[in-house]
Amino acid sequence: MQAVIYEKPGDLHVAEAPDPTPNAGEAVIKVGAVGICGSDLNIAAGLFPPTPFPIIPGHEFAGEVVAVAPGIDFIDEADRVAVDPSLFCGHCPWCRVGRGNLCDNWGAIGDTVNGAAAEYVAVPAVNCHRIPDSMSFAEAAVVEPLSCAVHAIKIAPPRVGESVLVVGGGTMGLLTGQLLARGGASVLALVERKTERLPIGTQVGFDPTYADVPSALEDRPQGYDLVVDATGVPAAIEAAFGAVAKGGRFLQLGVAPPDAGVPISPYRIYYEEITVLGSMAVLDSYAPALQLIADGTVNVEPLLTHNLPLQSYPDAFEALRRGDGLKIQLTPGVAA
Ligand SMILES: [Zn+2]
Ligand SMILES: [Zn+2]
């Protein structure tokens, strides 16, 4: 089969790879759509410590089941599925208390084992979620990023009447915003420096929108009760933290480089009783995210800007790096 291979940090190409076969407990999926995101940039650059090389990336995906290991009776060949990439060991202290996303042996399909930027991928059958016929593979491949947003909402549940600022209007910010919009915020503001994205922010429920944090603070000098960083960019995080109101909460959702530091004031955390929260990936949030898309509660349609053949992965990757469009997806099951 054709697959994208990250050979070593900074070196990726499309090449021939062996077709996967299902090991015990596994299903093989013919990939219908696979998204790429900021984590892939970090992984490819060697900035995500759990990733081994070489690896086939791709953790946001959906497709059709083409083979299942013997003894699996809950999914079948020809089922259309979206796949939770989470791989939790089940036996470490964190898994034992229901916090598998903090697993000491944490893994994810496409992050620590071969993923879906390929024609086929083998996955644990229990990670497969059947999708309704009405849901396209492209929509289903957005379940994974939405499931990260659903987890984030559990970490920082919206409070009725509070003011909310999301910094970063990429896919994660726009998905998280759509969930926050249903939580009774009095103000749901968006900061995104790529101003061509702001109308999409408005379309999915943000009002007002700004090109930078100082403008957002001009309108609301007292700050925002909940501020979400969805950029992972240290300078943006520093600015975002500066926009938290007294008694407010700050949620780190964007993935920063592991060695990056940001100066924040412990005095402010103390004197203004600011709560700092973090949200990491997916935890029991995949099925609810699938439901939110299936029911049309979350609209992913405006986010689906690129749909490219697998062979175009290097170009797609450069488009992602430039910040072109929003959700960039590849369609490995479709001939180039
Ligand atoms: Zn992702
Ligand atoms: Zn574990």
Side-chain angles (χ1 to χ4, degrees):
M1 67 170 182
Q2 291 283 298
V4 175
I5 299 169
Y6 292 175
E7 206 62 57
K8 55 180 194 288
D11 176 5
L12 67 87
H13 52 260
V14 184
E16 198 62 30
D19 285 352
T21 51
N23 290 318
E26 287 186 340
V28 172
I29 310 299
K30 183 181 187 193
V31 180
V34 56
I36 58 176
C37 76
S39 324
D40 290 299
L41 293 177
N42 286 340
I43 289 167
L47 292 175
F48 189 62
T51 300
F53 289 89
I55 189 169
I56 299 173
H59 60 274
E60 308 178 356
F61 63 104
E64 186 185 314
V65 178
V66 292
V68 289
I72 289 167
D73 58 3
F74 53 90
I75 58 165
D76 263 316
E77 286 175 26
D79 281 353
R80 300 170 73 250
V81 295
V83 183
D84 182 347
S86 307
L87 301 173
F88 306 153
C89 78
H91 56 77
C92 77
W94 302 107
C95 287
R96 297 285 196 207
V97 295
R99 303 192 70 175
N101 63 327
L102 305 182
C103 175
D104 283 339
N105 307 297
W106 183 89
I109 300 162
D111 292 356
T112 61
V113 300
N114 283 340
E119 289 175 86
Y120 300 95
V121 58
V123 303
V126 293
N127 288 45
C128 296
H129 296 240
R130 257 193 299 269
I131 60 173
D133 292 341
S134 57
M135 190 187 287
S136 67
F137 288 138
E139 291 172 310
V142 185
V143 173
E144 194 277 340
L146 182 61
S147 72
C148 297
V150 169
H151 178 59
I153 294 297
K154 290 191 208 168
I155 296 282
R159 296 172 183 168
V160 173
E162 73 183 351
S163 52
V164 177
L165 174 67
V166 174
V167 177
T171 300
M172 284 313 303
L174 295 174
L175 291 175
T176 306
Q178 287 193 56
L179 299 180
L180 289 166
R182 301 178 71 85
S186 59
V187 172
L188 180 61
L190 174 69
V191 164
E192 167 58 47
R193 69 189 166 90
K194 287 187 182 297
T195 49
E196 66 272 19
R197 288 177 174 172
L198 295 179
I200 301 172
T202 305
Q203 194 186 336
V204 302
F206 285 97
D207 181 28
T209 64
Y210 302 99
D212 54 35
V213 172
S215 315
L217 276 173
E218 235 164 74
D219 275 2
R220 197 174 179 82
Q222 71 272 42
Y224 294 79
D225 300 313
L226 173 62
V227 177
V228 179
D229 173 74
T231 72
V233 177
I237 294 166
E238 187 178 353
F241 191 78
V244 182
K246 284 184 183 176
R249 295 177 293 163
F250 177 78
L251 173 66
Q252 187 59 49
L253 178 61
V255 186
D259 298 332
V262 172
I264 59 173
S265 159
Y267 180 79
R268 265 192 72 215
I269 294 173
Y270 150 76
Y271 192 70
E272 300 183 6
E273 293 195 341
I274 292 170
T275 304
V276 179
L277 299 161
S279 176
M280 150 65 181
V282 182
L283 179 66
D284 297 335
S285 50
Y286 200 88
L290 202 164
Q291 204 58 47
L292 286 163
I293 295 177
D295 290 340
T297 309
V298 168
N299 180 10
V300 300
E301 178 61 43
L303 310 184
L304 301 173
T305 55
H306 290 62
N307 195 326
L308 302 164
L310 190 67
Q311 285 70 16
S312 300
Y313 193 97
D315 299 333
F317 203 76
E318 285 315 308
L320 174 67
R321 203 194 300 276
R322 284 193 304 269
D324 291 358
L326 285 160
K327 180 48 68 188
I328 298 176
Q329 294 181 334
L330 292 301
T331 50
V334 179

